[in-house]
Amino acid sequence: MSQSCDVIVIGAGAAGLMCAASAGYRGRSVLVLDNAKKAGRKILISGGGRCNFTNNDLSTSAFICSNPHFVKSALSRYTAWNFIDLVERHGVAYHEREHGQLFCDDSAKDIVDMLHTECDWAGVKIQLRTEILSIEKADDGRYHLQTSQGALNCESLVVATGGLSMPKLGATPYGYKVAEQFGLKVNATKAGLVPFTLQQHDKDKYADLSGVSLPVRISTESGVSFKEALLFTHRGLSGPSVLQVSSYWNPGEAVSINLLPDTEITETLAAMTESSPNQALKTALARVLPKRLVEIFYADELLPECTLKQLQHKDLNDISTLLHNWQVKPNGTEGYRTAEVTLGGVDTNELSSKTMEAKKAPGLYFIGEVMDVSGWLGGYNFQWAWSSGWSCGQFV
Ligand code: FAD
């Protein structure tokens, strides 16, 4: 005997729970299925446990998608302000950090609890520890699912299974398989918002800098750049600036790092030369950069052993190029193991930007990270989950 409902949502993550509540409030009978033991596991660990749930400065340019116009409709139907209003109505305390990022004051659990409450109020049923064994579309247009907990059928099937990042949290390629089963194109995926790894000899060279952070501007060869902190790690480079550019970086490319994005080193050295002409260049540079990094540049013979007053015009040019345009060639990224998002996914040209319904498979919908939409660091990925989930919930 197959259990019937109007809507089945596969995936009890950010997008799935939002969509379920949105549809439930419209009077639809909604069942959310997830193979995990807990709903919203990624939300719980997000933003260092405080969930950067949206961004005050939501711009469509902060989204990466093969069709850049695709995100506009959902983001304008359900905006950051709609989500902030929801958070406030549930009494979740939050604060703003730099770049308009909004975080919970206490815990990301507040957001998961809020979504559970919304689902309860909307009459949504959530069934965890459920494996989907097969999906078929019957002649009557309904979707029939065989699951580890029995047979189910629905009029609208929403796939909200997320991307591939953090497999230890239960990420699976299941959503892509469903898309392919119904003839939809899935664009190649890769890890995004992810630390860079370095060649072994570079790793050894910068090992002592592990834990050191400094403000920089990093640019990719294609000219995309971000000004944020860089963090040296024992595997390579991380920090917000690296995570941001990683989504635009291609294997084999170098990145250019401006180690002093707020000053011009030649001007700084000119001022220092006036006040302390006999100071060693090395000592002077260690006042504006991490000392260990300066020592590494000296060990690599990239800087001259001289005093400030001995600096020649050519020396100043070389120093400026090195410090404002330091070239680093990552040998890869840490991959899905630590990535915050998956780039690529279900091709948005296959979907309606208003409803998220598959053009080739009426009644089948894709929302959240499983789609070929990713955002910058800063709450954009959750906002996409809320916006795509809520918009879809209005039509299923
Ligand atoms: P998910 O939240 O991943 O949910 C997918 C759900 O589908 C999961 O519950 C999973 O168990 C279920 N599922 C998967 N496969 C199956 C299957 N075969 N059968 C049944 N169920 C299945 N974004 C931000 O905007 N701000 C942040 O602060 C932030 N921090 C992050 C920190 C980390 C460490 C990570 C990894 C990501 C972070 N992100 C952040 C990104 C954000 O978590 C995701 O973009 C967002 O969770 C995507 O929502 P989703 O609902 O599409 O997918």
Side-chain angles (χ1 to χ4, degrees):
M1 181 61 187
S2 174
Q3 184 195 331
S4 294
C5 47
D6 295 329
V7 184
I8 289 179
V9 179
I10 307 177
L17 295 175
M18 181 54 113
C19 174
S22 162
Y25 279 128
R26 289 179 41 245
R28 305 287 279 161
S29 62
V30 185
L31 175 64
V32 182
L33 304 175
D34 202 299
N35 58 2
K37 285 186 275 188
K38 246 189 200 173
R41 283 200 299 177
K42 254 189 207 167
I43 303 173
L44 290 171
I45 58 147
S46 68
R50 290 225 160 85
C51 186
N52 176 196
F53 55 79
T54 191
N55 195 294
N56 245 335
D57 183 18
L58 208 68
S59 146
T60 52
S61 60
F63 293 88
I64 305 165
C65 174
S66 53
N67 170 7
H69 300 292
F70 183 85
V71 296
K72 289 181 182 166
S73 173
L75 289 173
S76 61
R77 278 163 177 277
Y78 193 85
T79 65
W81 296 109
N82 291 118
F83 194 76
I84 293 166
D85 177 56
L86 182 67
V87 162
E88 288 181 353
R89 279 190 280 117
H90 282 262
V92 175
Y94 67 93
H95 60 278
E96 182 172 340
R97 296 192 193 162
E98 57 180 0
H99 307 298
Q101 304 171 62
L102 301 185
F103 285 78
C104 296
D105 282 357
D106 298 326
S107 161
K109 187 171 171 296
D110 290 346
I111 299 293
V112 177
D113 290 348
M114 178 189 85
L115 292 169
H116 271 300
T117 305
E118 284 289 305
C119 284
D120 275 354
W121 289 348
V124 171
K125 207 177 145 206
I126 300 172
Q127 187 177 304
L128 302 171
R129 300 172 193 260
T130 304
E131 296 288 336
I132 319 295
L133 306 174
S134 68
I135 300 173
E136 300 292 339
K137 189 170 185 183
D139 292 343
D140 60 1
R142 292 182 74 81
Y143 288 88
H144 289 256
L145 283 69
Q146 296 298 331
T147 79
S148 55
Q149 308 293 324
L152 302 163
N153 69 85
C154 59
E155 188 182 322
S156 300
L157 179 64
V158 182
V159 180
T161 47
L164 297 172
S165 56
M166 298 242 164
K168 69 171 189 251
L169 280 186
T172 73
Y174 187 70
Y176 309 134
K177 287 189 183 150
V178 176
E180 279 163 358
Q181 180 189 338
F182 288 93
L184 312 189
K185 185 174 170 224
V186 177
N187 294 331
T189 60
K190 69 173 188 171
L193 298 182
V194 62
F196 286 142
T197 53
L198 296 174
Q199 305 277 6
Q200 191 59 48
H201 73 275
D202 283 335
K203 236 188 271 182
D204 295 342
K205 189 160 52 172
Y206 302 115
D208 284 357
L209 281 164
S210 178
V212 170
S213 166
L214 68 160
V216 301
R217 176 176 286 283
I218 304 195
S219 311
T220 60
E221 286 185 10
S222 60
V224 177
S225 86
F226 290 91
K227 185 176 163 227
E228 291 200 56
L230 164 80
L231 173 72
F232 288 90
T233 71
H234 60 285
R235 288 195 197 89
L237 301 175
S238 186
S241 62
V242 167
L243 300 186
Q244 298 281 35
V245 288
S246 72
S247 295
Y248 294 89
W249 174 81
N250 295 306
E253 289 180 1
V255 288
S256 161
I257 304 179
N258 183 345
L259 293 162
L260 294 165
D262 296 317
T263 50
E264 176 47 61
I265 189 63
T266 49
E267 285 170 16
T268 308
L269 289 175
M272 286 173 158
T273 306
E274 238 179 82
S275 57
S276 324
N278 293 318
Q279 187 172 51
L281 172 67
K282 192 190 253 180
T283 312
L285 290 178
R287 286 168 60 192
V288 293
L289 285 170
K291 187 168 176 246
R292 182 73 192 110
L293 183 59
V294 174
E295 284 168 358
I296 291 168
F297 288 151
Y298 269 96
D300 281 349
E301 299 180 358
L302 298 172
L303 291 166
E305 294 278 3
C306 66
T307 61
L308 292 179
K309 72 176 183 210
Q310 291 169 327
L311 281 171
Q312 304 293 308
H313 187 67
K314 183 184 174 305
D315 295 330
L316 288 169
N317 277 344
D318 292 348
I319 294 167
S320 179
T321 304
L322 174 66
L323 302 188
H324 290 302
N325 193 13
W326 181 39
Q327 297 292 306
V328 176
K329 202 164 185 181
N331 80 335
T333 71
E334 290 187 9
Y336 294 121
R337 190 179 60 80
T338 61
E340 282 201 15
V341 285
T342 301
L343 302 166
V346 179
D347 193 326
T348 54
N349 292 312
E350 302 277 14
L351 308 171
S352 154
S353 61
K354 189 172 161 191
T355 65
M356 312 298 146
E357 187 173 20
K359 294 172 189 166
K360 288 177 191 153
L364 180 64
Y365 301 77
F366 291 84
I367 55 172
E369 203 182 311
V370 72
M371 311 162 73
D372 182 8
V373 175
S374 323
W376 288 354
L377 194 73
Y380 298 97
N381 286 296
F382 277 134
Q383 186 59 45
W384 177 246
W386 317 135
S387 295
S388 60
W390 185 88
S391 298
C392 176
Q394 294 298 298
F395 296 96
V396 288

